Amino acid sequence: MSLIYQTKGIVLSSREFRESDRWYKVYTQDGGKVEFLARGGSKSLAKLTPHLEMVAESDFMLVQGRHYKILAGVERRRSFANIYDNLFKMTLAKNALHLVDIGTCADEDDSAVYELLKNWLNFINETNEFSRGRASFLLGSFAWNLMAITGYLPELHRCLSCRDAIQGGMYKWHGLRGGVVCERCIDKNTEHWFASRQISDQTIKLIRFSLQESFINQLNPHISGQLLDDFHEVTESFIVSHFPTIPANSIRASCSLI
Ligand SMILES: [Zn+2]
């Protein structure tokens, strides 16, 4: 017995399978990340492929088979046309799709991830080009927001150990344990907090800012080169500590390819 159903989603990635089939991973609005097989044996895949390769929001018709889902049809609802003709925008879109692909598990329903991804694609589609430095900050911001809604919201206000509000300059950062720890607690148990590292007040403020503001508002403030370097170092270490899979490129390297 099989079940046919329709779902709205955005293609994250694809890979070849056998001679003419492909597996696709799609982040859906209602059912989280879903993987399905598109069969190319008939001519139908050739007709569907352009819809699947675009950065777009589409309706997918899927058949739930005994062991896996199979694509029966796809219709594009919204293409992000400005992204498609622009290498800069395409790189930012693809990197965010990759982060969602490796940072989420299959069939975990989370509509907030879908909204974040859609917001990001809208933002990239509609905003004029900005500098590489700004792009690398924004992609880092996307990663923080993704981690926050998938269960890794960093602690940026209170000491992880004693829960007191942190005081300027009197704390350190422990990426693996998920946030800031005050110097008093580190002194009490240096072994436990051995891997904590210095972090500036500005870097903490910038991470808070990236989690609070819309992407469009994050185009405005001046960010010095040193602050951006610190922000990336903390971002990368948090990703490596908490993502199920480590990204193919660092955030900075992704943006230097543009
Ligand atoms: Zn403490």
Side-chain angles (χ1 to χ4, degrees):
M1 231 175 73
S2 65
L3 178 70
I4 299 177
Y5 70 100
Q6 191 171 324
T7 185
K8 191 158 70 166
I10 296 165
V11 173
L12 300 175
S13 65
S14 69
R15 61 189 160 90
E16 285 176 17
F17 181 64
R18 298 194 196 118
E19 223 172 276
S20 51
D21 300 345
R22 284 185 89 78
W23 283 105
Y24 284 88
K25 277 192 264 179
V26 171
Y27 208 94
T28 65
Q29 189 172 34
D30 305 318
K33 189 167 70 178
V34 167
E35 192 167 30
F36 60 76
L37 186 68
R39 289 207 158 127
S42 64
K43 284 194 179 133
S44 59
L45 182 63
K47 265 200 312 205
L48 299 179
T49 298
H51 295 282
L52 294 167
E53 299 304 323
M54 296 279 291
V55 177
E57 189 178 30
S58 304
D59 280 328
F60 298 89
M61 188 82 79
L62 300 176
V63 181
Q64 178 64 63
R66 188 185 293 236
H67 300 296
Y68 46 79
K69 298 177 179 73
I70 298 166
L71 180 70
V74 56
E75 195 168 326
R76 204 181 313 155
R77 283 173 78 112
R78 171 155 190 221
S79 57
F80 300 90
N82 298 336
I83 292 177
Y84 212 64
D85 294 334
N86 183 313
L87 182 62
F88 179 84
K89 293 184 175 211
M90 192 54 134
T91 304
L92 286 175
K94 290 277 183 192
N95 276 291
L97 294 171
H98 178 62
L99 288 173
V100 172
D101 190 11
I102 63 171
T104 58
C105 299
D107 300 317
E108 264 178 18
D109 173 13
D110 197 338
S111 56
V113 174
Y114 190 80
E115 288 307 309
L116 173 68
L117 188 54
K118 212 166 80 168
N119 275 345
W120 176 260
L121 295 177
N122 267 328
F123 165 70
I124 299 298
N125 191 55
E126 282 160 26
T127 310
N128 291 330
E129 274 192 33
F130 32 85
S131 71
R132 280 184 205 179
R134 183 65 54 172
S136 71
F137 165 63
L138 282 156
L139 194 56
S141 171
F142 178 86
W144 281 112
N145 280 276
L146 178 62
M147 290 189 283
I149 54 184
T150 51
Y152 298 103
L153 178 67
E155 177 53 75
L156 301 167
H157 299 271
R158 294 181 173 279
C159 169
L160 285 168
S161 182
C162 68
R163 309 304 300 157
D164 282 356
I166 52 167
Q167 309 291 327
M170 304 287 287
Y171 58 90
K172 285 189 174 171
W173 173 259
H174 200 299
L176 193 59
R177 298 195 192 280
V180 288
V181 53
C182 77
E183 289 190 339
R184 243 187 7 242
C185 289
I186 296 172
D187 288 343
K188 271 190 221 157
N189 195 347
T190 46
E191 216 167 288
H192 185 71
W193 298 106
F194 172 72
S196 61
R197 46 149 288 172
Q198 297 283 355
I199 190 167
S200 68
D201 294 343
Q202 285 92 338
T203 309
I204 288 289
K205 279 184 191 153
L206 193 57
I207 299 169
R208 286 181 193 151
F209 176 77
S210 74
L211 286 165
Q212 281 160 1
E213 289 293 331
S214 64
F215 292 124
I216 196 114
N217 285 349
Q218 295 183 38
L219 288 168
N220 298 326
H222 172 72
I223 304 169
S224 73
Q226 181 62 52
L227 178 55
L228 191 58
D229 281 352
D230 291 347
F231 173 80
H232 277 131
E233 212 181 308
V234 175
T235 306
E236 303 292 356
S237 80
F238 208 73
I239 289 174
V240 169
S241 300
H242 300 294
F243 256 48
T245 308
I246 295 171
N249 290 312
S250 73
I251 302 277
R252 255 181 301 195
S254 308
C255 292
S256 69
L257 300 175
I258 300 170

